[in-house]
């Protein structure tokens, strides 16, 4: 390689300094696009890349927005060159700012076999890179040793067990950047820890996230619709360099259905309608909700009725109460306890008592996590048909646990609920606006297999919360309705007079005698 002339280096430095916030010019200054004899002689940046660099340039050029965190998320089908865009962006920042950046991906193999080789390619293509920087393994650093610690790009490995390993990126007064490749597979907890890098003032801050959006409930999909993020979906059919024959082949594989999950992910830049390994599928939930519109509640009035309650177990979680009778279910309550107002699960106990009386409920299942206090109150008041359910306990689908196909009762409840929905179950809600979260949460839980016994398992609540960033309270309350079969009505409930209350056709009436568990007026109108 010929030694560059000093005047060429000086001209290069003056140009990158002049256009340090103009990425649409920098990309041609730093990379030899169109230059005769170079590897990029017949290459040009794609239109969507130039559009995003123009938007990024406007943000950094303006002193009023320069130090606000710039967040960009891009979802596309295959072949849109998102990784190349991220690599070029990081390198342009490295040349023009004292950048300290980290790049990560969903897995180490993805980082090592796809992302870093792409970075290595663009680093070698960049002009005068050996004059300013040097590459060691998975790091690119300033050649001047005194600057190497604060002027660099590194790969980083994240761990759900030790999420703090992703934090600690600081470079006050200069520039920091995080790049998440294959971002749909990176759990919400890692995004939260990475956000700590964007707290410093007078610092240029960028967070870039790219992926083929496979999981509709990933943190990546959440930021795609967040007002804090610039987001872009790329349908690869709109890209000039994509072979239309390949698109046609993929469409044929999907039976000509453009809304098929594989076509949505491969081509349209959209997520699957339901995650590939979700136990309960979105289409089944939608069908169950649709069936509620014409369902006659009288047809199940002779069947046992059940309440399922998942009490909030951590700050920010919701308490959810569901009702089931035969093939009909309804979400009755979804609320957060207001500790400032002194609310605790005595309120939940009172609500359950009210529903139990008015709907003539035969069985109440309560999640054991936060339900022990509620269960104690029930026992003390003679309610022997209230039952605690531990999601980690043994399955009860067979007399002998060893013969069960499930690893625990959580898995059993989710898989039996899925079968119930698929075979004609009906899902209703007291509030129509709750249907959206019902559709989402019932599809969050993923199915797995036990590593030794290979029995079916269901993703634990804590793992879902770390992956999605929210607890599946609505879904867990729903599956509690399937904790075990309830085959008979209580003698006092043999004639059901609660159906009108479920449909909202009977107005509220005061009980005939006072009850120590009576609700305040605010809680009396409990049905629409």
């Amino acid at each position: 390689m010929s030694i560059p002339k000093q005047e060429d280096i000086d001209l290069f430095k003056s140009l990158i300094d002049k256009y340090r916030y103009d990425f649409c010019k920098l990309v041609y200054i730093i990379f030899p696009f169109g230059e005769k004899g170079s590897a990029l002689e017949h290459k040009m940046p794609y239109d969507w890349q130039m559009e995003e660099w123009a938007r990024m340039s406007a943000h950094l050029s303006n002193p009023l927005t320069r130090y606000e965190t710039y967040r960009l998320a891009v979802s596309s089908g295959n072949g849109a060159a998102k990784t190349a865009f991220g690599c070029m962006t990081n390198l342009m920042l490295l040349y023009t700012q004292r950048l300290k950046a980290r790049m990560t991906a969903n897995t180490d193999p993805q980082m090592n076999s796809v992302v870093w080789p792409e970075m290595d390619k663009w680093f070698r293509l960049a002009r005068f890179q050996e004059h300013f920087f040097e590459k060691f393994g998975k790091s690119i650093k300033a050649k001047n040793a005194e600057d190497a610690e604060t002027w660099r790009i590194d790969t980083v490995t994240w761990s759900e067990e030790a999420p703090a390993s992703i934090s600690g990126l600081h470079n006050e007064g200069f520039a920091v950047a995080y790049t998440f490749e294959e971002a749909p597979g990176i759990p919400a907890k890692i995004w939260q820890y990475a956000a700590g890098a964007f707290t410093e003032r007078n610092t240029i801050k960028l967070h870039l996230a790219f992926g083929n959006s496979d999981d509709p409930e990933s943190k990546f999909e959440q930021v795609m619709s967040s007002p804090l993020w610039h987001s872009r979906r790329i349908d690869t059919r709109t890209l000039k360099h994509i072979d239309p024959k390949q698109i046609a082949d993929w469409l044929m594989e999907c039976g000509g259905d453009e809304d098929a999950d594989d076509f949505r992910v491969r081509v349209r830049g959209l997520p699957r309608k339901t995650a590939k390994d979700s136990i309960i599928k979105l289409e089944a939930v939608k069908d169950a909700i649709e069936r509620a519109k014409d369902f006659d509640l009288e047809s199940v009035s002779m069947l046992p009725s059940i309440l399922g309650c998942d009490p909030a177990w951590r700050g920010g979680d919701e308490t959810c109460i569901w009702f089931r009778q035969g093939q009909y279910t309804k979400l009755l309550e979804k609320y957060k306890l207001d500790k400032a107002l002194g609310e605790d699960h005595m309120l939940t106990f009172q609500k359950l008592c009210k529903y139990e009386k008015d709907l003539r409920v035969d069985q109440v299942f309560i999640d054991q996590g936060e339900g022990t206090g509620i269960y104690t109150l029930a026992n003390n008041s003679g309610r022997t048909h209230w039952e605690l359910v531990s999601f980690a306990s043994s399955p009860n689908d067979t007399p002998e646990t060893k013969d069960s196909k499930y690893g625990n009762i959580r898995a059993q409840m989710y898989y039996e609920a899925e079968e119930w929905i698929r075979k004609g179950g009906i899902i209703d809600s007291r509030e129509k606006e709750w249907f959206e979260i019902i559709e989402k949460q019932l599809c969050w839980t993923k199915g797995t297999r036990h590593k030794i016994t290979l029995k079916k398992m269901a993703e634990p609540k804590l793992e879902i919360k770390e992956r999605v960033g929210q607890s599946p309270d609505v879904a867990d309350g729903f599956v509690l309705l399937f904790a075990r079969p309830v085959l008979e009505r209580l003698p006092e409930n043999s004639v059901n007079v609660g159906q009108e209350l479920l449909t909202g056709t009977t107005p509220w009436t005061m009980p005939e005698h006072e009850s120590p568990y009576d609700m305040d007026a605010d809680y009396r109108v409990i049905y629409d």
Side-chain angles (χ1 to χ4, degrees), residues 62-346:
N62 185 348
L64 297 178
T65 60
R66 180 173 301 153
Y67 299 123
E68 296 176 1
T69 303
Y70 187 84
R71 302 175 179 91
L72 171 64
V74 180
S75 174
S76 79
N78 296 339
K82 302 181 296 296
T83 300
F85 174 85
C87 292
M88 286 188 279
T89 301
N90 273 276
L91 288 169
M92 285 190 280
L93 288 165
L94 190 70
Y95 271 86
T96 56
Q97 316 294 329
R98 188 180 289 268
L99 174 72
K100 190 174 183 180
R102 289 179 179 172
M103 303 182 74
T104 193
N106 181 27
T107 65
D108 281 345
Q110 288 170 331
M111 192 72 227
N112 296 333
S113 63
V114 178
V115 180
W116 197 248
E118 187 74 9
M119 173 60 84
D120 182 65
K121 165 190 166 181
W122 289 102
F123 178 69
R124 286 184 284 104
L125 287 170
R127 302 184 200 271
F128 305 118
Q129 88 279 8
E130 291 187 343
H131 181 81
F132 298 103
F133 307 103
E134 52 191 354
K135 185 172 177 290
F136 294 102
K138 301 300 192 308
S139 298
I140 297 171
K141 306 177 183 180
K143 206 159 192 177
N144 183 345
E146 295 179 0
D147 298 324
E149 290 306 308
T150 57
W151 199 345
R152 58 191 296 151
I153 300 173
D154 296 287
T155 63
V156 62
T157 300
W158 56 266
S159 166
E160 287 189 82
E161 290 72 29
S165 60
I166 198 78
S167 60
L169 179 63
H170 300 290
N171 202 20
E172 187 174 2
F174 300 108
V176 294
Y178 257 119
T179 302
F180 282 7
E181 290 282 352
E182 304 296 338
I186 298 177
K189 177 184 282 190
I190 303 303
W191 293 72
Q192 292 163 3
Y193 273 85
F198 308 122
T199 57
E200 293 174 333
R201 302 179 64 181
N202 302 318
T203 303
I204 291 174
K205 304 177 285 283
L206 292 93
H207 195 172
L208 311 177
F210 310 108
N212 295 63
S213 193
D214 190 71
D215 185 350
E217 302 305 335
S218 65
K219 179 65 177 180
F220 178 73
E221 267 305 308
Q222 293 176 29
V223 306
M224 284 292 295
S225 58
S226 169
L228 297 177
W229 285 72
H230 300 295
S231 61
R232 185 182 193 117
R233 292 196 189 276
I234 302 173
D235 188 321
T236 52
R237 292 173 293 185
T238 65
L239 302 176
K240 299 173 184 177
H241 66 282
I242 295 295
D243 181 4
K245 178 62 168 63
Q246 181 61 65
I247 301 294
D249 290 346
W250 283 336
L251 186 58
M252 183 181 297
E253 289 177 1
C254 295
D257 182 7
E258 293 189 359
D259 202 41
D261 279 342
D262 282 350
F263 197 80
R264 287 167 64 92
V265 174
R266 283 183 178 182
V267 178
R268 299 177 63 191
L270 295 170
R272 296 178 182 275
K273 296 185 285 294
T274 308
K276 186 186 299 184
D277 44 3
S278 291
I279 296 172
I280 299 173
K281 303 301 181 185
L282 178 61
E283 293 91 339
V285 176
K286 286 181 175 290
D287 290 345
I289 291 172
E290 185 65 25
R291 287 192 288 269
K293 295 179 180 178
D294 302 317
F295 184 68
D296 180 10
L297 282 166
E298 284 298 325
S299 65
V300 295
S301 61
M302 75 298 296
L303 298 175
S305 58
I306 305 164
L307 289 178
C309 176
D310 183 32
W313 66 298
R314 290 197 177 186
D317 293 350
E318 293 182 311
T319 294
C320 297
I321 300 174
W322 282 84
F323 173 84
R324 178 189 173 197
Q325 193 163 31
Q327 67 197 91
Y328 178 82
T329 60
K330 186 170 187 176
L331 177 57
L332 301 176
E333 292 285 350
K334 185 175 80 73
Y335 60 90
K336 293 181 180 180
L337 295 172
D338 192 334
K339 300 296 178 65
L341 296 178
E343 291 180 348
D344 56 25
H345 280 310
M346 174 59 79

Side-chain angles (χ1 to χ4, degrees), residues 432-443:
K432 301 309 177 188
E433 58 265 29
W434 292 347
F435 280 125
E436 182 178 355
I437 195 62
I438 290 172
E439 290 179 1
K440 284 179 176 290
Q441 284 204 20
L442 262 59
C443 302

